[in-house]
């Protein structure tokens, strides 16, 4: 924390009036890109939480298993079948979902074929940057701590898997196998990112 204060003080005391906007960008760059993954939790107490609604634990999800972006708060359903829609209505259809996080530069591509009882989520690994400032505006402190705990010491830190019914967070990591609700999820590493295969626990014909 002392290092961060010294950085800010040095910039501000040496600035001219015309330089403040550029200095603000520089400070953000230096502080965000500094490797502090091991000490990231200690910064939580110094940043006020400004979220009106926690995007992880408040409200309702139409899915049992979702991917959640820590930087954007966006969620992406991994369920093959939407609640309230009969499986036979999906015959022959393919559903595509895309997502992108400009802070970590990670991308998500989900392809689901409910009629064939299969789907996959491809996550292209970015730079692993997680903005605590953004998280504090999107999630409650309890969920922030739980998400950071899930990704601690993991290669993929910017996206987690959420079990919506049990409010549990899991990391995206190679070799992990999960059963969340009616679905089995298996994660492997492919080329530049991760691939999560999705299948129902009970095959629907």
């Amino acid at each position: 924390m002392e290092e961060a204060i010294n950085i800010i003080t040095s910039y501000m005391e040496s600035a001219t009036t015309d330089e403040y906007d550029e200095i603000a960008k520089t400070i953000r760059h230096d502080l965000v890109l500094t490797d502090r993954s091991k000490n990231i939790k200690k910064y939580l107490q110094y940043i006020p939480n400004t979220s009106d609604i926690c995007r992880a634990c408040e409200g309702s999800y139409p899915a049992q298993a979702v991917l959640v972006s820590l930087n954007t708060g966006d969620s992406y359903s991994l369920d093959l079948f939407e609640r309230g829609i009969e499986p036979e209505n999906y015959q022959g259809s393919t559903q595509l979902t895309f997502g992108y996080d400009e802070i970590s530069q990670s991308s998500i591509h989900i392809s689901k074929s409910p009629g064939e009882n299969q789907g996959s989520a491809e996550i292209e690994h970015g730079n692993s940057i997680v903005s605590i400032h953004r998280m504090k505006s999107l999630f409650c402190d309890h969920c922030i701590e739980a998400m950071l705990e899930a990704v601690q010491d993991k290669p993929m830190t910017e996206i987690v898997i959420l079990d919506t019914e049990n409010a549990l967070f899991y990391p995206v990591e190679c070799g992990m196998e999960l059963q969340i609700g009616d679905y089995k999820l298996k994660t492997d590493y492919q080329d530049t990112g991760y691939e999560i295969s999705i299948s129902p626990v009970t095959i629907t014909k």
Side-chain angles (χ1 to χ4, degrees), residues 26-171:
T26 304
I27 290 174
R28 181 181 182 279
H29 178 275
D30 288 353
L31 295 182
V32 169
L33 295 185
T34 298
D35 182 12
R36 60 177 190 276
S37 58
K38 294 183 179 179
N39 300 314
I40 198 168
K41 289 184 180 179
K42 76 177 184 180
Y43 289 87
L44 295 178
Q45 61 182 309
Y46 300 110
I47 302 173
N49 192 299
T50 59
S51 62
D52 294 325
I53 297 177
C54 178
R55 297 198 182 189
C57 68
E58 297 182 18
S60 60
Y61 282 98
Q64 300 170 68
V66 299
L67 293 175
V68 178
S69 168
L70 275 62
N71 287 320
T72 68
D74 293 334
S75 60
Y76 306 90
S77 170
L78 296 176
D79 290 16
L80 295 179
F81 307 103
E82 291 186 33
R83 293 172 178 173
I85 300 179
E86 296 299 323
E88 55 266 23
N89 294 333
Y90 288 101
Q91 298 299 322
S93 66
T94 299
Q95 302 171 349
L96 301 176
T97 304
F98 301 92
Y100 182 71
D101 168 17
E102 63 180 10
I103 294 177
S104 68
Q105 298 178 356
S106 61
S107 61
I108 296 172
H109 174 201
I110 300 175
S111 176
K112 296 185 284 189
S113 299
E116 299 178 8
N117 291 292
Q118 64 181 4
S120 66
E122 298 177 0
I123 304 172
E124 185 173 345
H125 196 17
N127 52 33
S128 296
I129 290 177
V130 174
S131 170
I132 296 300
H133 290 275
R134 292 292 295 273
M135 292 187 74
K136 281 281 192 169
S137 68
L138 299 168
F139 308 105
C140 67
D141 286 342
H142 175 76
C143 284
I144 291 174
E145 292 184 13
M147 286 187 280
L148 293 179
E149 183 70 27
V151 301
Q152 185 173 354
D153 299 324
K154 306 297 182 183
M156 170 67 71
T157 59
E158 60 267 39
I159 296 172
V160 294
I161 301 171
L162 169 60
D163 177 341
T164 63
E165 294 187 351
N166 296 302
L168 296 175
F169 298 98
Y170 299 94

